[in-house]
Amino acid sequence: MAVLLFFFFLLFDISRAIPVLDFSKLNGHERAKTLAHIANACEDWGFFHLVNHGIAEDLLERVKKVSTDFYKLEREENFKNSKVVKLLNETGDKKLENVDWEDIITLTDDNVNEWPSQTPGFKETFKEFRYELKKLAEKILEVLDENLGLPKGHIKKAFDGEEGENNAFFGTKVSHYPPSPNPERVIGLRPHTDAGGLILLFQDDKVGGLQVWKDGEWIDVEPLKNTIVISVGDQIEVISNGLYKSAWHRVFSTTDSNRRSVASYYNPSHKATIAPAPQLMKETNEEWNQAYPKFVFGDYMSVYYQQKFHPKEPRFQAVSAMGR
């Protein structure tokens, strides 16, 4: 991994590349420095690569294999007959505005019986992977607690809601962005911020396409083998009272490659009440407080489903109005 990081920094302008952070250094003498780097990444980017995250390389390689096998066996032919393909073929040279060049399935604990069954090893591998990712997510949330000066477990408790422990929602989206005959006419995934809490992305380590908006330009999230890309969601922005920001990001398709993407999201329970942490409101003025209202996450999602690809500020305003 050290050699990979060396070449990564050699090839790319570090100031214009999302941070690459070593999670294992939290356990040594560089803990304070690593905590600061994570805080800076959450404040300045809302995105960062995580290396030495504790998930076994063998498991990551199996996830890659079963994801690729699954698409070939169970999805590739169906995608050729999908709505977006038909629209692309039927609309001449017109750019498609309200669709994405993406094949996607969602895995949760509640729909295990619907998980792919034809691909050998898929269910077993993803059950193990999701278990490890959820543990990692909860460790990262504790780091965010510490950096924000919150009691240990504050964010997790907020996500669990009043129903008790372990009610936070954990889902996984397995996506593929197949080769596109006209990538200039349809984007892989339109620009958006993530609605939920913490997103852990295991992206393709060969095919790029993911970009983050920062300082007025789109920055490539370069493929880096077996890292987990961390994305701050809208709910972390709210709880941090704007200290951490969810970032706009998008995915481009290519003409010759199929990009694999496995995004897992640690979200509040739909019944959880989300609000800025009281400890982070002491030094903010009244106007700033109003920018992040107290709301029920399920209400926020009902707004998000309609406004996902629009600016996030009106979403906060809309959900605030719902609570009046």
Side-chain angles (χ1 to χ4, degrees):
M1 181 58 70
V3 174
L4 285 174
L5 291 177
F6 171 78
F7 282 107
F8 178 82
F9 292 132
L10 185 67
L11 289 171
F12 303 109
D13 178 0
I14 297 176
S15 66
R16 305 312 301 157
I18 72 166
V20 181
L21 306 179
D22 187 339
F23 203 57
S24 68
K25 290 186 177 180
L26 288 172
N27 298 321
H29 67 279
E30 296 186 55
R31 178 177 176 79
K33 182 188 296 186
T34 304
L35 285 170
H37 287 327
I38 293 174
N40 290 338
C42 292
E43 293 172 10
D44 296 340
W45 287 88
F47 258 76
F48 55 93
H49 282 286
L50 203 62
V51 302
N52 295 325
H53 39 65
I55 300 179
E57 296 274 325
D58 171 69
L59 176 56
L60 297 175
E61 293 300 324
R62 283 188 281 131
V63 171
K64 295 178 196 177
K65 183 180 187 307
V66 297
S67 298
T68 300
D69 291 348
F70 156 68
Y71 181 77
K72 290 179 180 178
L73 285 172
E74 303 188 46
R75 304 293 290 189
E76 189 168 29
E77 289 303 315
N78 288 337
F79 185 78
K80 294 176 182 178
N81 297 313
S82 64
K83 175 183 175 181
V84 65
V85 172
K86 291 178 181 178
L87 284 172
L88 193 66
N89 292 334
E90 295 171 356
T91 52
D93 295 328
K94 183 180 178 181
K95 187 175 181 179
L96 304 184
E97 299 289 348
N98 297 312
V99 292
D100 304 299
W101 191 262
E102 177 187 35
D103 178 82
I104 184 170
I105 66 163
T106 301
L107 311 177
T108 72
D109 291 340
D110 295 328
N111 72 353
V112 173
N113 291 335
E114 301 171 14
W115 288 19
S117 58
Q118 299 176 35
T119 304
F122 185 97
K123 282 189 175 182
E124 296 80 3
T125 298
F126 267 92
K127 282 182 180 179
E128 183 180 354
F129 186 48
R130 279 171 43 79
Y131 175 78
E132 295 296 333
L133 278 175
K134 188 174 182 181
K135 287 197 304 181
L136 176 61
E138 292 177 346
K139 290 178 183 178
I140 295 171
L141 291 180
E142 289 185 355
V143 170
L144 301 190
D145 287 332
E146 184 173 353
N147 274 335
L148 290 168
L150 300 176
K152 183 177 180 180
H154 177 97
I155 298 176
K156 183 182 184 304
K157 184 177 180 180
F159 284 6
D160 284 338
E162 297 180 358
E163 300 168 281
E165 294 185 1
N166 302 317
N167 280 296
F169 181 80
F170 189 70
T172 299
K173 292 183 178 180
V174 182
S175 302
H176 287 84
Y177 302 91
S180 170
N182 296 103
E184 69 282 356
R185 289 181 53 212
V186 59
I187 195 168
L189 182 59
R190 287 164 283 169
H192 64 287
T193 63
D194 291 319
L198 192 71
I199 294 79
L200 300 91
L201 171 66
F202 183 40
Q203 69 166 349
D204 201 297
D205 53 20
K206 295 180 180 178
V207 183
L210 177 61
Q211 295 181 320
V212 174
W213 182 256
K214 178 171 168 56
D215 298 334
E217 63 178 315
W218 289 105
I219 308 297
D220 291 330
V221 181
E222 298 291 346
L224 190 56
K225 185 177 180 180
N226 289 348
T227 62
I228 301 295
V229 178
I230 305 301
S231 169
V232 171
D234 293 347
Q235 308 312 305
I236 296 292
E237 178 170 335
V238 173
I239 290 174
S240 73
N241 205 23
L243 289 174
Y244 297 165
K245 293 288 198 302
S246 59
W248 280 87
H249 51 285
R250 67 182 183 181
V251 177
F252 272 101
S253 54
T254 65
T255 57
D256 57 359
S257 299
N258 186 356
R259 181 179 183 274
R260 178 190 63 252
S261 172
V262 180
S264 297
Y265 39 99
Y266 195 105
N267 286 358
S269 159
H270 267 235
K271 295 182 180 180
T273 298
I274 302 299
Q279 297 89 333
L280 303 176
M281 295 172 62
K282 295 177 182 178
E283 298 180 4
T284 59
N285 58 45
E286 185 177 350
E287 181 180 353
W288 184 258
N289 287 343
Q290 291 177 349
Y292 297 97
K294 182 178 181 179
F295 55 82
V296 175
F297 179 63
D299 290 341
Y300 184 82
M301 288 306 298
S302 69
V303 174
Y304 183 83
Y305 289 139
Q306 299 176 27
Q307 302 182 17
K308 177 177 179 177
F309 301 108
H310 299 283
K312 59 187 171 182
E313 290 76 14
R315 299 199 292 262
F316 294 130
Q317 294 170 6
V319 78
S320 176
M322 294 171 68
R324 293 174 186 166

